[in-house]
Amino acid sequence: MSHRKFSAPRHGSMGFVPKKRSQRHRGKVKGFPKDDPSKPVHLSCFLGYKAGMTHVVREVDRAGSKVNKKEVVEAVTIIETPPMIVVGVIGYIETPRGLRALNCVWAEHLGEDCRRRFYKNWCLFVSFFFFIFYFSVISKVSVKSQFLVLLELEFRL
């Protein structure tokens, strides 16, 4: 019987560990750009999925290079960005310990696709989901008045 040597090169790249199934299907934003308070409120991130790769033929415009004004083949990544629908706004207030959520303003009409994402067992209790939310928040206070309260106070979106 033969035996394995004690030292051997590793099998596979460490760039792809852990080799297991993803825990969430939808991606998660892990890094946000530094916020500049002098600029107006803007979108800070947008989700995209790597759909694949292909190649393109393009003309290089790099003076002094050997391939200047010649066609080269380059690899490109295709990123799929599904349409984004805004369902609410959260206003943050500055505290000595950092930002704190002040108020959350939901849209008046949330689609079924949106409401499905908040619950795992949608098919069991369809009629109860967001039932309390609609009758407690939306009916008493309008969305416009909630949003004006956020605008009157000094806050960050």
Side-chain angles (χ1 to χ4, degrees):
M1 269 176 95
S2 63
H3 67 280
R4 180 176 167 82
K5 296 193 310 186
F6 290 110
S7 62
R10 71 163 293 101
H11 303 289
S13 171
M14 290 292 286
F16 298 99
V17 292
K19 295 182 181 181
K20 63 179 184 178
R21 192 177 295 274
S22 175
Q23 292 200 344
R24 66 181 71 82
H25 177 70
R26 190 174 66 246
K28 182 179 179 182
V29 179
K30 295 182 180 175
F32 289 92
K34 197 73 175 167
D35 189 31
D36 187 8
S38 63
K39 292 183 180 176
V41 176
H42 62 280
L43 188 66
S44 58
C45 67
F46 194 80
L47 286 179
Y49 305 97
K50 182 176 176 180
M53 293 190 75
T54 186
H55 60 275
V56 294
V57 178
R58 72 176 188 98
E59 189 174 306
V60 178
D61 186 25
R62 197 178 307 137
S65 176
K66 282 198 290 185
V67 292
N68 188 28
K69 299 196 179 187
K70 293 183 181 174
E71 290 185 341
V72 294
V73 178
E74 288 187 343
V76 292
T77 302
I78 299 170
I79 298 176
E80 184 178 313
T81 53
M84 186 171 61
I85 301 167
V86 177
V87 296
V89 176
I90 299 177
Y92 294 94
I93 192 166
E94 193 84 41
T95 64
R97 290 180 288 174
L99 292 176
R100 180 181 65 83
L102 175 69
N103 195 5
C104 181
V105 181
W106 289 88
E108 286 183 344
H109 304 288
L110 298 177
E112 186 180 335
D113 294 339
C114 174
R115 287 181 286 153
R116 274 179 178 269
R117 291 191 178 271
F118 292 117
Y119 302 98
K120 287 188 176 180
N121 298 326
W122 174 261
C123 58
L124 295 179
F125 305 104
V126 177
S127 59
F128 295 112
F129 294 141
F130 275 82
F131 180 79
I132 298 169
F133 163 73
Y134 277 120
F135 288 103
S136 64
V137 178
I138 298 293
S139 63
K140 293 178 184 172
V141 184
S142 69
V143 172
K144 193 175 276 188
S145 64
Q146 282 183 328
F147 198 68
L148 288 174
V149 168
L150 286 180
L151 290 175
E152 287 173 1
L153 300 170
E154 286 193 20
F155 75 100
R156 289 187 188 171
L157 282 175

